[in-house]
Amino acid sequence: MHQSTLKDSFFIEGVGVHRGKNCSVTVRPADEDTGIVFFRSDRENEGFKNEKIIASYNKVENATMCTQIFNENGASLKTIEHIMAALYGMKISNAIIEVRGEEIPILEGSALKFVEKIREVGIQKQLKPRKILKVLKKVKVTDGDKFEEIEPFDDFEINAKCDFEAKGLKTDSVIFNFSKNNFASEIAPARTFGFISEVEYIKKHNLALGASLKNTVVYNDKGIPLNDEGLRFENESAKHKVLDIIGDLALSQYWIQGRVNCFCPSHKLNNILLRMLFASTENYEIL
Ligand SMILES: [Zn+2]
């Protein structure tokens, strides 16, 4: 596999789901070996210049409701996971993302708009090969009865099972394989979701200030979506979990050769899994 970037830049703006403020991104082509690098270009009035924030798992300091990365000056960016998934899923290894605001726009809650923009501007193949992280040993992390593990496999595959029965939804599962399945049509359109039973807590704690039925699938206590559009896939919520896993594992900065098996994945577990994987060089090799 070769490295690749965009043929041209694209711009997207919209509301941020957590702070509820307007924000925008300009995604630009980048040289080989750049990786994915964010710049926050809106903090001059706070005494900062153009703050560089590297899209790496060890820059994640908060992964409670979204994935948030920080740099050494304390500049941070929230909700990077969907744009990261779009770039990774479309096999873009190098890009510079200029952000105005403290998070990435939520758009309609999935990675679809980012994928459409990537297709519009086109993908530029580069000369150097892409570095591959080959999993050599199974690594498993748990949180109560939730778990995630990554094991040796000759492709990149995610096998996710989600139990929402307590919320009135049936248990859902997805197997996504990067060679056999299509990221753009099968995973990218899956939207973020929530439950009506959580709305009061979210309001009380000033969370998800930008969330609405335009960017979040909200289920009632019988597991029925309240959005006019209904669901895009029968197992849309499990597919969105796979989207989040792809976006979070993209912070490894490598193309992954391994299989992820998980039960009730979360941003927190996705990040801990990468930290555990990188904790010992016996777990992986870089090709
Ligand atoms: Zn998400």
Side-chain angles (χ1 to χ4, degrees):
M1 183 190 289
H2 281 259
Q3 296 189 25
S4 53
T5 189
L6 301 164
K7 281 193 172 151
D8 203 353
S9 304
F10 69 82
F11 173 83
I12 296 190
E13 64 183 332
V15 73
V17 70
H18 294 285
R19 306 299 303 152
K21 291 181 188 162
N22 249 22
C23 43
S24 69
V25 292
T26 305
V27 187
R28 299 187 191 282
D31 293 337
E32 290 169 323
D33 297 328
T34 303
I36 309 295
V37 179
F38 292 92
F39 283 92
R40 263 193 75 174
S41 52
D42 64 316
R43 298 190 79 205
E44 284 90 350
N45 55 359
E46 296 169 52
F48 289 101
K49 278 256 155 46
N50 216 0
E51 289 290 332
K52 180 178 180 177
I53 312 176
I54 296 167
S56 167
Y57 70 97
N58 57 19
K59 306 290 177 193
V60 175
E61 283 184 32
N62 182 3
T64 38
M65 288 184 73
C66 66
T67 297
Q68 184 174 13
I69 48 172
F70 287 75
N71 74 2
E72 58 289 352
N73 295 331
S76 80
L77 268 178
K78 276 188 162 82
T79 330
I80 61 163
E81 56 270 22
H82 302 161
I83 194 168
M84 288 302 297
L87 292 166
Y88 199 85
M90 298 304 282
K91 302 189 174 161
I92 307 280
S93 39
N94 302 307
I96 288 171
I97 308 175
E98 290 169 18
V99 186
R100 293 194 72 81
E102 49 192 305
E103 58 185 312
I104 307 298
I106 189 67
L107 306 171
E108 35 66 88
S110 77
L112 187 61
K113 298 276 180 231
F114 296 119
V115 166
E116 285 172 355
K117 287 283 185 185
I118 291 167
R119 284 184 156 167
E120 236 173 82
V121 299
I123 298 168
Q124 178 65 53
K125 196 169 159 188
Q126 293 169 302
L127 290 174
K128 280 194 179 176
R130 184 157 190 192
K131 284 193 176 150
I132 292 170
L133 183 152
K134 182 179 172 155
V135 178
L136 297 178
K137 236 170 117 177
K138 187 193 273 194
V139 173
K140 183 172 182 173
V141 296
T142 57
D143 178 11
D145 61 350
K146 301 168 186 167
F147 78 87
E148 285 186 33
E149 63 183 25
I150 190 160
E151 63 182 1
F153 193 66
D154 56 9
D155 205 332
F156 184 19
E157 186 168 288
I158 298 166
N159 182 349
K161 202 170 185 187
C162 306
D163 176 10
F164 305 116
E165 269 175 38
K167 309 264 191 191
L169 275 182
K170 66 179 180 51
T171 297
D172 261 343
S173 59
V174 181
I175 297 177
F176 180 77
N177 181 299
F178 269 92
S179 299
K180 294 181 191 148
N181 303 104
N182 185 297
F183 170 81
S185 62
E186 295 177 43
I187 298 295
R191 292 161 298 169
T192 195
F193 60 97
F195 299 93
I196 196 82
S197 54
E198 296 167 346
V199 168
E200 205 166 303
Y201 176 89
I202 284 168
K203 275 193 179 151
K204 196 174 151 196
H205 293 84
N206 256 354
L207 303 167
L209 298 172
S212 75
L213 290 172
K214 285 184 190 144
N215 56 40
T216 308
V217 176
V218 179
Y219 293 99
N220 70 13
D221 51 14
K222 292 186 178 67
I224 311 230
L226 301 174
N227 312 58
D228 289 338
E229 192 190 334
L231 294 179
R232 292 179 176 179
F233 306 101
E234 203 191 334
N235 55 350
E236 184 168 358
S237 300
K239 285 193 164 191
H240 187 79
K241 289 287 187 184
V242 170
L243 176 71
D244 282 340
I245 290 171
I246 294 169
D248 287 342
L249 295 193
L251 297 179
S252 68
Q253 300 178 313
Y254 294 104
W255 188 258
I256 293 172
Q257 212 177 86
R259 175 165 51 201
V260 176
N261 303 304
C262 56
F263 178 67
C264 295
S266 64
H267 293 301
K268 186 177 141 194
L269 278 179
N270 296 342
N271 189 248
I272 298 172
L273 183 67
L274 276 190
R275 286 175 189 267
M276 290 298 288
L277 178 67
F278 282 109
S280 165
T281 49
E282 286 180 13
N283 294 336
Y284 66 94
E285 67 177 325
I286 305 298
L287 307 175

